[in-house]
Amino acid sequence: IHKKTAPVVRTGIPKKEMSIEQRAHIALKRAMKLHREVTPLHATEYLDRHLVANETLLSDELTIGGIHDFCVFVFVARMALLARNHAGAARKSHPMLGALKNYRFECLPNEWTDNPYICVPRFRVARKPTGGTYAP
């Protein structure tokens, strides 16, 4: 004889309330992650902030005011190294260099930018004027 089993009573997992400290810790970790995240838009804003008066500048002139500025500075330095390695038509095919098409990056051989946070090969950044060609 086959006995019918009673239907299973399902219970949900009770939701645990986070403490104020746990919520603050999660918000802090999220803010830390956002400050380290760099996009081509962040680089454009950073470069435009520094290229206000002139169309070209050296890496020594780029200031670092916080963690986000530091991360963007490293990103821009990497773009200069990529531009050195991807000259001419190869520059347009590189996705990050293509995203910053309004800027030209040039590494200066045997020169270094040494600021309080990092030492990188010195580079020059030139902005393309509206409707024009790259600055010299």
Side-chain angles (χ1 to χ4, degrees):
I1 295 180
H2 185 64
K3 287 186 178 181
K4 282 190 172 183
T5 57
V8 177
V9 178
R10 299 182 189 266
T11 58
I13 299 173
K15 185 175 180 182
K16 187 176 178 183
E17 284 294 317
M18 286 193 288
S19 68
I20 293 173
E21 291 84 8
Q22 288 171 323
R23 280 185 274 176
H25 185 71
I26 288 170
L28 177 63
K29 286 177 84 172
R30 185 179 301 123
M32 288 168 53
K33 181 180 180 217
L34 287 174
H35 281 301
R36 291 189 309 262
E37 199 171 277
V38 178
T39 65
L41 179 61
H42 293 136
T44 298
E45 291 169 351
Y46 178 77
L47 291 171
D48 285 347
R49 193 170 75 221
H50 289 87
L51 285 164
V52 173
N54 50 352
E55 296 298 320
T56 65
L57 58 79
L58 291 175
S59 51
D60 300 324
E61 300 171 72
L62 295 171
T63 59
I64 298 173
I67 297 295
H68 187 67
D69 279 357
F70 174 78
C71 293
V72 175
F73 177 85
V74 170
F75 178 87
V76 170
R78 183 168 178 255
M79 293 303 102
L81 292 172
L82 284 171
R84 180 185 68 187
N85 297 333
H86 294 82
R91 182 189 191 287
K92 292 178 183 176
S93 67
H94 193 282
M96 295 309 287
L97 291 171
L100 294 170
K101 65 181 179 247
N102 292 330
Y103 300 93
R104 183 180 60 182
F105 302 95
E106 175 191 1
C107 276
L108 304 175
N110 303 319
E111 295 184 38
W112 297 91
T113 291
D114 193 3
N115 62 40
Y117 309 103
I118 193 169
C119 181
V120 296
R122 184 170 286 134
F123 58 92
R124 181 178 292 121
V125 179
R127 178 178 34 212
K128 180 180 178 183
T130 306
T133 59
Y134 287 105

PDB file of all heavy atoms in Angstrom, residues 40-41 43-45 47-48 51 54-56 79 91-92 94-105 124-135:
ATOM      1  N   PRO A  40      37.724  56.206 -20.519  1.00  0.00           N
ATOM      2  CA  PRO A  40      38.208  57.279 -21.391  1.00  0.00           C
ATOM      3  C   PRO A  40      37.567  58.641 -21.071  1.00  0.00           C
ATOM      4  O   PRO A  40      38.214  59.672 -21.196  1.00  0.00           O
ATOM      5  CB  PRO A  40      37.824  56.798 -22.787  1.00  0.00           C
ATOM      6  CG  PRO A  40      37.844  55.305 -22.680  1.00  0.00           C
ATOM      7  CD  PRO A  40      37.311  55.024 -21.298  1.00  0.00           C
ATOM      8  N   LEU A  41      36.324  58.650 -20.614  1.00  0.00           N
ATOM      9  CA  LEU A  41      35.673  59.900 -20.224  1.00  0.00           C
ATOM     10  C   LEU A  41      36.388  60.542 -19.034  1.00  0.00           C
ATOM     11  O   LEU A  41      36.602  61.750 -19.004  1.00  0.00           O
ATOM     12  CB  LEU A  41      34.195  59.667 -19.897  1.00  0.00           C
ATOM     13  CG  LEU A  41      33.412  60.900 -19.449  1.00  0.00           C
ATOM     14  CD1 LEU A  41      33.399  61.965 -20.541  1.00  0.00           C
ATOM     15  CD2 LEU A  41      32.001  60.523 -19.065  1.00  0.00           C
ATOM     16  N   ALA A  43      39.538  60.167 -18.300  1.00  0.00           N
ATOM     17  CA  ALA A  43      40.808  60.669 -18.816  1.00  0.00           C
ATOM     18  C   ALA A  43      40.601  61.983 -19.564  1.00  0.00           C
ATOM     19  O   ALA A  43      41.386  62.920 -19.404  1.00  0.00           O
ATOM     20  CB  ALA A  43      41.452  59.631 -19.728  1.00  0.00           C
ATOM     21  N   THR A  44      39.537  62.076 -20.346  1.00  0.00           N
ATOM     22  CA  THR A  44      39.233  63.301 -21.081  1.00  0.00           C
ATOM     23  C   THR A  44      38.989  64.458 -20.114  1.00  0.00           C
ATOM     24  O   THR A  44      39.520  65.558 -20.297  1.00  0.00           O
ATOM     25  CB  THR A  44      38.002  63.086 -21.984  1.00  0.00           C
ATOM     26  OG1 THR A  44      38.308  62.067 -22.935  1.00  0.00           O
ATOM     27  CG2 THR A  44      37.615  64.342 -22.716  1.00  0.00           C
ATOM     28  N   GLU A  45      38.205  64.228 -19.080  1.00  0.00           N
ATOM     29  CA  GLU A  45      37.935  65.274 -18.093  1.00  0.00           C
ATOM     30  C   GLU A  45      39.217  65.707 -17.393  1.00  0.00           C
ATOM     31  O   GLU A  45      39.452  66.904 -17.182  1.00  0.00           O
ATOM     32  CB  GLU A  45      36.908  64.786 -17.067  1.00  0.00           C
ATOM     33  CG  GLU A  45      35.516  64.622 -17.645  1.00  0.00           C
ATOM     34  CD  GLU A  45      34.566  63.883 -16.716  1.00  0.00           C
ATOM     35  OE1 GLU A  45      35.028  63.339 -15.670  1.00  0.00           O
ATOM     36  OE2 GLU A  45      33.375  63.829 -17.038  1.00  0.00           O
ATOM     37  N   LEU A  47      42.379  65.431 -18.519  1.00  0.00           N
ATOM     38  CA  LEU A  47      43.247  66.142 -19.453  1.00  0.00           C
ATOM     39  C   LEU A  47      42.697  67.527 -19.773  1.00  0.00           C
ATOM     40  O   LEU A  47      43.457  68.500 -19.837  1.00  0.00           O
ATOM     41  CB  LEU A  47      43.443  65.318 -20.727  1.00  0.00           C
ATOM     42  CG  LEU A  47      44.268  64.047 -20.554  1.00  0.00           C
ATOM     43  CD1 LEU A  47      44.223  63.204 -21.821  1.00  0.00           C
ATOM     44  CD2 LEU A  47      45.699  64.369 -20.161  1.00  0.00           C
ATOM     45  N   ASP A  48      41.398  67.640 -19.956  1.00  0.00           N
ATOM     46  CA  ASP A  48      40.798  68.950 -20.241  1.00  0.00           C
ATOM     47  C   ASP A  48      40.995  69.914 -19.074  1.00  0.00           C
ATOM     48  O   ASP A  48      41.163  71.116 -19.275  1.00  0.00           O
ATOM     49  CB  ASP A  48      39.313  68.812 -20.574  1.00  0.00           C
ATOM     50  CG  ASP A  48      39.073  68.249 -21.960  1.00  0.00           C
ATOM     51  OD1 ASP A  48      40.034  68.197 -22.761  1.00  0.00           O
ATOM     52  OD2 ASP A  48      37.925  67.849 -22.242  1.00  0.00           O
ATOM     53  N   LEU A  51      44.603  71.020 -19.595  1.00  0.00           N
ATOM     54  CA  LEU A  51      44.909  71.646 -20.886  1.00  0.00           C
ATOM     55  C   LEU A  51      44.080  72.902 -21.132  1.00  0.00           C
ATOM     56  O   LEU A  51      43.796  73.243 -22.269  1.00  0.00           O
ATOM     57  CB  LEU A  51      44.652  70.645 -22.020  1.00  0.00           C
ATOM     58  CG  LEU A  51      45.685  69.551 -22.195  1.00  0.00           C
ATOM     59  CD1 LEU A  51      45.136  68.419 -23.052  1.00  0.00           C
ATOM     60  CD2 LEU A  51      46.960  70.104 -22.802  1.00  0.00           C
ATOM     61  N   ASN A  54      46.682  75.876 -22.575  1.00  0.00           N
ATOM     62  CA  ASN A  54      47.517  75.525 -23.727  1.00  0.00           C
ATOM     63  C   ASN A  54      47.058  74.211 -24.344  1.00  0.00           C
ATOM     64  O   ASN A  54      46.304  73.466 -23.743  1.00  0.00           O
ATOM     65  CB  ASN A  54      48.989  75.460 -23.321  1.00  0.00           C
ATOM     66  CG  ASN A  54      49.207  74.616 -22.086  1.00  0.00           C
ATOM     67  OD1 ASN A  54      48.269  74.193 -21.435  1.00  0.00           O
ATOM     68  ND2 ASN A  54      50.440  74.376 -21.727  1.00  0.00           N
ATOM     69  N   GLU A  55      47.539  73.955 -25.529  1.00  0.00           N
ATOM     70  CA  GLU A  55      47.123  72.758 -26.253  1.00  0.00           C
ATOM     71  C   GLU A  55      48.055  71.578 -26.028  1.00  0.00           C
ATOM     72  O   GLU A  55      47.745  70.472 -26.423  1.00  0.00           O
ATOM     73  CB  GLU A  55      47.032  73.063 -27.751  1.00  0.00           C
ATOM     74  CG  GLU A  55      45.965  74.099 -28.084  1.00  0.00           C
ATOM     75  CD  GLU A  55      44.567  73.667 -27.709  1.00  0.00           C
ATOM     76  OE1 GLU A  55      44.223  72.482 -27.896  1.00  0.00           O
ATOM     77  OE2 GLU A  55      43.800  74.507 -27.214  1.00  0.00           O
ATOM     78  N   THR A  56      49.241  71.806 -25.446  1.00  0.00           N
ATOM     79  CA  THR A  56      50.163  70.712 -25.138  1.00  0.00           C
ATOM     80  C   THR A  56      50.693  70.893 -23.730  1.00  0.00           C
ATOM     81  O   THR A  56      50.763  72.010 -23.211  1.00  0.00           O
ATOM     82  CB  THR A  56      51.365  70.669 -26.115  1.00  0.00           C
ATOM     83  OG1 THR A  56      52.135  71.842 -25.939  1.00  0.00           O
ATOM     84  CG2 THR A  56      50.910  70.530 -27.548  1.00  0.00           C
ATOM     85  N   MET A  79      48.535  55.202 -21.811  1.00  0.00           N
ATOM     86  CA  MET A  79      48.150  55.578 -23.174  1.00  0.00           C
ATOM     87  C   MET A  79      49.364  56.108 -23.948  1.00  0.00           C
ATOM     88  O   MET A  79      49.508  55.835 -25.137  1.00  0.00           O
ATOM     89  CB  MET A  79      47.047  56.644 -23.162  1.00  0.00           C
ATOM     90  CG  MET A  79      45.710  56.177 -22.620  1.00  0.00           C
ATOM     91  SD  MET A  79      45.029  54.765 -23.498  1.00  0.00           S
ATOM     92  CE  MET A  79      45.418  53.448 -22.375  1.00  0.00           C
ATOM     93  N   ARG A  91      47.555  52.917 -34.433  1.00  0.00           N
ATOM     94  CA  ARG A  91      47.014  53.715 -33.335  1.00  0.00           C
ATOM     95  C   ARG A  91      45.489  53.727 -33.388  1.00  0.00           C
ATOM     96  O   ARG A  91      44.818  53.623 -32.377  1.00  0.00           O
ATOM     97  CB  ARG A  91      47.549  55.146 -33.430  1.00  0.00           C
ATOM     98  CG  ARG A  91      47.088  56.032 -32.304  1.00  0.00           C
ATOM     99  CD  ARG A  91      47.466  57.484 -32.564  1.00  0.00           C
ATOM    100  NE  ARG A  91      47.276  58.299 -31.396  1.00  0.00           N
ATOM    101  CZ  ARG A  91      46.115  58.681 -30.896  1.00  0.00           C
ATOM    102  NH1 ARG A  91      45.003  58.296 -31.472  1.00  0.00           N
ATOM    103  NH2 ARG A  91      46.032  59.430 -29.827  1.00  0.00           N
ATOM    104  N   LYS A  92      44.944  53.870 -34.586  1.00  0.00           N
ATOM    105  CA  LYS A  92      43.493  53.930 -34.738  1.00  0.00           C
ATOM    106  C   LYS A  92      42.820  52.600 -34.424  1.00  0.00           C
ATOM    107  O   LYS A  92      41.664  52.552 -34.041  1.00  0.00           O
ATOM    108  CB  LYS A  92      43.135  54.365 -36.156  1.00  0.00           C
ATOM    109  CG  LYS A  92      43.520  55.791 -36.454  1.00  0.00           C
ATOM    110  CD  LYS A  92      43.186  56.154 -37.885  1.00  0.00           C
ATOM    111  CE  LYS A  92      43.652  57.565 -38.188  1.00  0.00           C
ATOM    112  NZ  LYS A  92      43.439  57.921 -39.572  1.00  0.00           N
ATOM    113  N   HIS A  94      43.743  50.495 -32.075  1.00  0.00           N
ATOM    114  CA  HIS A  94      43.754  50.169 -30.644  1.00  0.00           C
ATOM    115  C   HIS A  94      42.531  50.801 -29.984  1.00  0.00           C
ATOM    116  O   HIS A  94      42.302  52.008 -30.115  1.00  0.00           O
ATOM    117  CB  HIS A  94      45.038  50.667 -29.981  1.00  0.00           C
ATOM    118  CG  HIS A  94      45.223  50.096 -28.623  1.00  0.00           C
ATOM    119  ND1 HIS A  94      44.548  50.566 -27.527  1.00  0.00           N
ATOM    120  CD2 HIS A  94      45.976  49.056 -28.203  1.00  0.00           C
ATOM    121  CE1 HIS A  94      44.884  49.859 -26.465  1.00  0.00           C
ATOM    122  NE2 HIS A  94      45.753  48.937 -26.855  1.00  0.00           N
ATOM    123  N   PRO A  95      41.712  50.009 -29.273  1.00  0.00           N
ATOM    124  CA  PRO A  95      40.447  50.535 -28.748  1.00  0.00           C
ATOM    125  C   PRO A  95      40.608  51.696 -27.767  1.00  0.00           C
ATOM    126  O   PRO A  95      39.830  52.648 -27.810  1.00  0.00           O
ATOM    127  CB  PRO A  95      39.787  49.326 -28.088  1.00  0.00           C
ATOM    128  CG  PRO A  95      40.832  48.290 -27.980  1.00  0.00           C
ATOM    129  CD  PRO A  95      41.894  48.595 -28.973  1.00  0.00           C
ATOM    130  N   MET A  96      41.598  51.656 -26.901  1.00  0.00           N
ATOM    131  CA  MET A  96      41.750  52.729 -25.917  1.00  0.00           C
ATOM    132  C   MET A  96      42.288  53.996 -26.569  1.00  0.00           C
ATOM    133  O   MET A  96      41.851  55.094 -26.243  1.00  0.00           O
ATOM    134  CB  MET A  96      42.663  52.288 -24.772  1.00  0.00           C
ATOM    135  CG  MET A  96      42.082  51.167 -23.946  1.00  0.00           C
ATOM    136  SD  MET A  96      40.397  51.468 -23.384  1.00  0.00           S
ATOM    137  CE  MET A  96      40.668  52.693 -22.143  1.00  0.00           C
ATOM    138  N   LEU A  97      43.229  53.857 -27.483  1.00  0.00           N
ATOM    139  CA  LEU A  97      43.751  55.035 -28.165  1.00  0.00           C
ATOM    140  C   LEU A  97      42.684  55.643 -29.074  1.00  0.00           C
ATOM    141  O   LEU A  97      42.598  56.858 -29.219  1.00  0.00           O
ATOM    142  CB  LEU A  97      45.002  54.686 -28.965  1.00  0.00           C
ATOM    143  CG  LEU A  97      46.228  54.348 -28.107  1.00  0.00           C
ATOM    144  CD1 LEU A  97      47.353  53.800 -28.978  1.00  0.00           C
ATOM    145  CD2 LEU A  97      46.699  55.550 -27.324  1.00  0.00           C
ATOM    146  N   GLY A  98      41.874  54.792 -29.675  1.00  0.00           N
ATOM    147  CA  GLY A  98      40.770  55.275 -30.508  1.00  0.00           C
ATOM    148  C   GLY A  98      39.751  56.049 -29.688  1.00  0.00           C
ATOM    149  O   GLY A  98      39.171  57.021 -30.158  1.00  0.00           O
ATOM    150  N   ALA A  99      39.538  55.628 -28.433  1.00  0.00           N
ATOM    151  CA  ALA A  99      38.588  56.315 -27.566  1.00  0.00           C
ATOM    152  C   ALA A  99      39.082  57.709 -27.179  1.00  0.00           C
ATOM    153  O   ALA A  99      38.292  58.580 -26.831  1.00  0.00           O
ATOM    154  CB  ALA A  99      38.324  55.481 -26.314  1.00  0.00           C
ATOM    155  N   LEU A 100      40.402  57.911 -27.235  1.00  0.00           N
ATOM    156  CA  LEU A 100      40.989  59.218 -26.917  1.00  0.00           C
ATOM    157  C   LEU A 100      41.558  59.852 -28.181  1.00  0.00           C
ATOM    158  O   LEU A 100      42.668  60.386 -28.192  1.00  0.00           O
ATOM    159  CB  LEU A 100      42.078  59.050 -25.851  1.00  0.00           C
ATOM    160  CG  LEU A 100      41.567  58.588 -24.481  1.00  0.00           C
ATOM    161  CD1 LEU A 100      42.709  58.208 -23.582  1.00  0.00           C
ATOM    162  CD2 LEU A 100      40.710  59.652 -23.843  1.00  0.00           C
ATOM    163  N   LYS A 101      40.789  59.800 -29.252  1.00  0.00           N
ATOM    164  CA  LYS A 101      41.273  60.240 -30.563  1.00  0.00           C
ATOM    165  C   LYS A 101      41.538  61.738 -30.645  1.00  0.00           C
ATOM    166  O   LYS A 101      42.213  62.202 -31.537  1.00  0.00           O
ATOM    167  CB  LYS A 101      40.296  59.809 -31.655  1.00  0.00           C
ATOM    168  CG  LYS A 101      38.939  60.465 -31.541  1.00  0.00           C
ATOM    169  CD  LYS A 101      38.004  59.992 -32.620  1.00  0.00           C
ATOM    170  CE  LYS A 101      36.658  60.650 -32.462  1.00  0.00           C
ATOM    171  NZ  LYS A 101      35.598  59.770 -32.113  1.00  0.00           N
ATOM    172  N   ASN A 102      41.005  62.514 -29.712  1.00  0.00           N
ATOM    173  CA  ASN A 102      41.227  63.957 -29.722  1.00  0.00           C
ATOM    174  C   ASN A 102      42.530  64.369 -29.041  1.00  0.00           C
ATOM    175  O   ASN A 102      42.782  65.558 -28.864  1.00  0.00           O
ATOM    176  CB  ASN A 102      40.055  64.690 -29.073  1.00  0.00           C
ATOM    177  CG  ASN A 102      38.802  64.575 -29.914  1.00  0.00           C
ATOM    178  OD1 ASN A 102      38.875  64.472 -31.139  1.00  0.00           O
ATOM    179  ND2 ASN A 102      37.659  64.579 -29.271  1.00  0.00           N
ATOM    180  N   TYR A 103      43.331  63.388 -28.639  1.00  0.00           N
ATOM    181  CA  TYR A 103      44.599  63.667 -27.985  1.00  0.00           C
ATOM    182  C   TYR A 103      45.703  62.880 -28.669  1.00  0.00           C
ATOM    183  O   TYR A 103      45.483  61.772 -29.159  1.00  0.00           O
ATOM    184  CB  TYR A 103      44.557  63.258 -26.503  1.00  0.00           C
ATOM    185  CG  TYR A 103      43.485  63.991 -25.752  1.00  0.00           C
ATOM    186  CD1 TYR A 103      42.218  63.427 -25.604  1.00  0.00           C
ATOM    187  CD2 TYR A 103      43.715  65.242 -25.211  1.00  0.00           C
ATOM    188  CE1 TYR A 103      41.219  64.103 -24.935  1.00  0.00           C
ATOM    189  CE2 TYR A 103      42.717  65.922 -24.543  1.00  0.00           C
ATOM    190  CZ  TYR A 103      41.474  65.344 -24.403  1.00  0.00           C
ATOM    191  OH  TYR A 103      40.479  66.006 -23.748  1.00  0.00           O
ATOM    192  N   ARG A 104      46.878  63.462 -28.678  1.00  0.00           N
ATOM    193  CA  ARG A 104      48.051  62.751 -29.170  1.00  0.00           C
ATOM    194  C   ARG A 104      49.018  62.621 -28.003  1.00  0.00           C
ATOM    195  O   ARG A 104      49.275  63.584 -27.284  1.00  0.00           O
ATOM    196  CB  ARG A 104      48.715  63.520 -30.307  1.00  0.00           C
ATOM    197  CG  ARG A 104      49.907  62.750 -30.889  1.00  0.00           C
ATOM    198  CD  ARG A 104      50.559  63.501 -31.991  1.00  0.00           C
ATOM    199  NE  ARG A 104      51.033  64.790 -31.459  1.00  0.00           N
ATOM    200  CZ  ARG A 104      51.616  65.714 -32.187  1.00  0.00           C
ATOM    201  NH1 ARG A 104      51.772  65.548 -33.471  1.00  0.00           N
ATOM    202  NH2 ARG A 104      52.027  66.845 -31.639  1.00  0.00           N
ATOM    203  N   PHE A 105      49.528  61.413 -27.820  1.00  0.00           N
ATOM    204  CA  PHE A 105      50.463  61.120 -26.741  1.00  0.00           C
ATOM    205  C   PHE A 105      51.819  60.825 -27.359  1.00  0.00           C
ATOM    206  O   PHE A 105      51.902  60.114 -28.353  1.00  0.00           O
ATOM    207  CB  PHE A 105      49.993  59.907 -25.937  1.00  0.00           C
ATOM    208  CG  PHE A 105      48.620  60.078 -25.348  1.00  0.00           C
ATOM    209  CD1 PHE A 105      47.502  59.600 -26.001  1.00  0.00           C
ATOM    210  CD2 PHE A 105      48.444  60.727 -24.144  1.00  0.00           C
ATOM    211  CE1 PHE A 105      46.229  59.755 -25.482  1.00  0.00           C
ATOM    212  CE2 PHE A 105      47.177  60.896 -23.598  1.00  0.00           C
ATOM    213  CZ  PHE A 105      46.073  60.407 -24.275  1.00  0.00           C
ATOM    214  N   ARG A 124      54.361  63.725 -23.524  1.00  0.00           N
ATOM    215  CA  ARG A 124      53.705  64.970 -23.908  1.00  0.00           C
ATOM    216  C   ARG A 124      52.302  64.622 -24.376  1.00  0.00           C
ATOM    217  O   ARG A 124      52.097  63.635 -25.072  1.00  0.00           O
ATOM    218  CB  ARG A 124      54.482  65.648 -25.036  1.00  0.00           C
ATOM    219  CG  ARG A 124      53.880  66.968 -25.486  1.00  0.00           C
ATOM    220  CD  ARG A 124      54.703  67.632 -26.587  1.00  0.00           C
ATOM    221  NE  ARG A 124      55.993  68.062 -26.053  1.00  0.00           N
ATOM    222  CZ  ARG A 124      57.186  67.644 -26.513  1.00  0.00           C
ATOM    223  NH1 ARG A 124      57.253  66.815 -27.526  1.00  0.00           N
ATOM    224  NH2 ARG A 124      58.294  68.080 -25.979  1.00  0.00           N
ATOM    225  N   VAL A 125      51.353  65.450 -23.995  1.00  0.00           N
ATOM    226  CA  VAL A 125      49.961  65.289 -24.432  1.00  0.00           C
ATOM    227  C   VAL A 125      49.596  66.519 -25.246  1.00  0.00           C
ATOM    228  O   VAL A 125      49.832  67.647 -24.808  1.00  0.00           O
ATOM    229  CB  VAL A 125      48.990  65.164 -23.235  1.00  0.00           C
ATOM    230  CG1 VAL A 125      47.561  65.014 -23.723  1.00  0.00           C
ATOM    231  CG2 VAL A 125      49.368  64.009 -22.345  1.00  0.00           C
ATOM    232  N   ALA A 126      49.044  66.307 -26.432  1.00  0.00           N
ATOM    233  CA  ALA A 126      48.582  67.405 -27.283  1.00  0.00           C
ATOM    234  C   ALA A 126      47.106  67.183 -27.570  1.00  0.00           C
ATOM    235  O   ALA A 126      46.681  66.069 -27.857  1.00  0.00           O
ATOM    236  CB  ALA A 126      49.380  67.438 -28.584  1.00  0.00           C
ATOM    237  N   ARG A 127      46.342  68.267 -27.473  1.00  0.00           N
ATOM    238  CA  ARG A 127      44.912  68.184 -27.774  1.00  0.00           C
ATOM    239  C   ARG A 127      44.682  68.676 -29.192  1.00  0.00           C
ATOM    240  O   ARG A 127      45.253  69.664 -29.633  1.00  0.00           O
ATOM    241  CB  ARG A 127      44.103  69.035 -26.803  1.00  0.00           C
ATOM    242  CG  ARG A 127      42.623  68.992 -27.130  1.00  0.00           C
ATOM    243  CD  ARG A 127      41.743  69.772 -26.199  1.00  0.00           C
ATOM    244  NE  ARG A 127      42.344  70.962 -25.678  1.00  0.00           N
ATOM    245  CZ  ARG A 127      42.075  71.449 -24.462  1.00  0.00           C
ATOM    246  NH1 ARG A 127      41.243  70.817 -23.682  1.00  0.00           N
ATOM    247  NH2 ARG A 127      42.631  72.552 -24.040  1.00  0.00           N
ATOM    248  N   LYS A 128      43.820  67.972 -29.890  1.00  0.00           N
ATOM    249  CA  LYS A 128      43.451  68.385 -31.244  1.00  0.00           C
ATOM    250  C   LYS A 128      42.481  69.550 -31.130  1.00  0.00           C
ATOM    251  O   LYS A 128      41.423  69.428 -30.514  1.00  0.00           O
ATOM    252  CB  LYS A 128      42.789  67.217 -31.973  1.00  0.00           C
ATOM    253  CG  LYS A 128      42.365  67.510 -33.380  1.00  0.00           C
ATOM    254  CD  LYS A 128      41.730  66.295 -33.995  1.00  0.00           C
ATOM    255  CE  LYS A 128      41.254  66.571 -35.397  1.00  0.00           C
ATOM    256  NZ  LYS A 128      40.570  65.414 -35.976  1.00  0.00           N
ATOM    257  N   PRO A 129      42.838  70.699 -31.718  1.00  0.00           N
ATOM    258  CA  PRO A 129      41.910  71.842 -31.673  1.00  0.00           C
ATOM    259  C   PRO A 129      40.633  71.517 -32.447  1.00  0.00           C
ATOM    260  O   PRO A 129      40.651  70.717 -33.368  1.00  0.00           O
ATOM    261  CB  PRO A 129      42.676  72.968 -32.357  1.00  0.00           C
ATOM    262  CG  PRO A 129      44.086  72.518 -32.452  1.00  0.00           C
ATOM    263  CD  PRO A 129      44.071  71.027 -32.390  1.00  0.00           C
ATOM    264  N   THR A 130      39.550  72.154 -32.076  1.00  0.00           N
ATOM    265  CA  THR A 130      38.269  71.941 -32.757  1.00  0.00           C
ATOM    266  C   THR A 130      38.425  72.275 -34.242  1.00  0.00           C
ATOM    267  O   THR A 130      38.817  73.376 -34.588  1.00  0.00           O
ATOM    268  CB  THR A 130      37.183  72.812 -32.136  1.00  0.00           C
ATOM    269  OG1 THR A 130      37.151  72.568 -30.737  1.00  0.00           O
ATOM    270  CG2 THR A 130      35.832  72.502 -32.734  1.00  0.00           C
ATOM    271  N   GLY A 131      38.158  71.293 -35.081  1.00  0.00           N
ATOM    272  CA  GLY A 131      38.223  71.481 -36.526  1.00  0.00           C
ATOM    273  C   GLY A 131      39.625  71.634 -37.065  1.00  0.00           C
ATOM    274  O   GLY A 131      39.810  72.029 -38.209  1.00  0.00           O
ATOM    275  N   GLY A 132      40.628  71.298 -36.283  1.00  0.00           N
ATOM    276  CA  GLY A 132      42.018  71.464 -36.746  1.00  0.00           C
ATOM    277  C   GLY A 132      42.814  70.199 -36.677  1.00  0.00           C
ATOM    278  O   GLY A 132      42.269  69.101 -36.596  1.00  0.00           O
ATOM    279  N   THR A 133      44.113  70.365 -36.723  1.00  0.00           N
ATOM    280  CA  THR A 133      45.027  69.224 -36.633  1.00  0.00           C
ATOM    281  C   THR A 133      45.690  69.265 -35.269  1.00  0.00           C
ATOM    282  O   THR A 133      45.539  70.210 -34.507  1.00  0.00           O
ATOM    283  CB  THR A 133      46.092  69.299 -37.740  1.00  0.00           C
ATOM    284  OG1 THR A 133      46.797  70.524 -37.592  1.00  0.00           O
ATOM    285  CG2 THR A 133      45.462  69.202 -39.113  1.00  0.00           C
ATOM    286  N   TYR A 134      46.477  68.235 -34.987  1.00  0.00           N
ATOM    287  CA  TYR A 134      47.139  68.147 -33.699  1.00  0.00           C
ATOM    288  C   TYR A 134      48.137  69.268 -33.510  1.00  0.00           C
ATOM    289  O   TYR A 134      48.776  69.712 -34.443  1.00  0.00           O
ATOM    290  CB  TYR A 134      47.836  66.806 -33.524  1.00  0.00           C
ATOM    291  CG  TYR A 134      46.870  65.677 -33.291  1.00  0.00           C
ATOM    292  CD1 TYR A 134      46.584  64.760 -34.290  1.00  0.00           C
ATOM    293  CD2 TYR A 134      46.232  65.542 -32.068  1.00  0.00           C
ATOM    294  CE1 TYR A 134      45.694  63.731 -34.078  1.00  0.00           C
ATOM    295  CE2 TYR A 134      45.339  64.529 -31.837  1.00  0.00           C
ATOM    296  CZ  TYR A 134      45.064  63.621 -32.840  1.00  0.00           C
ATOM    297  OH  TYR A 134      44.194  62.625 -32.625  1.00  0.00           O
ATOM    298  N   ALA A 135      48.298  69.691 -32.276  1.00  0.00           N
ATOM    299  CA  ALA A 135      49.297  70.720 -31.939  1.00  0.00           C
ATOM    300  C   ALA A 135      50.687  70.125 -32.153  1.00  0.00           C
ATOM    301  O   ALA A 135      50.867  68.913 -32.096  1.00  0.00           O
ATOM    302  CB  ALA A 135      49.111  71.153 -30.486  1.00  0.00           C
TER     303      ALA A 135
END
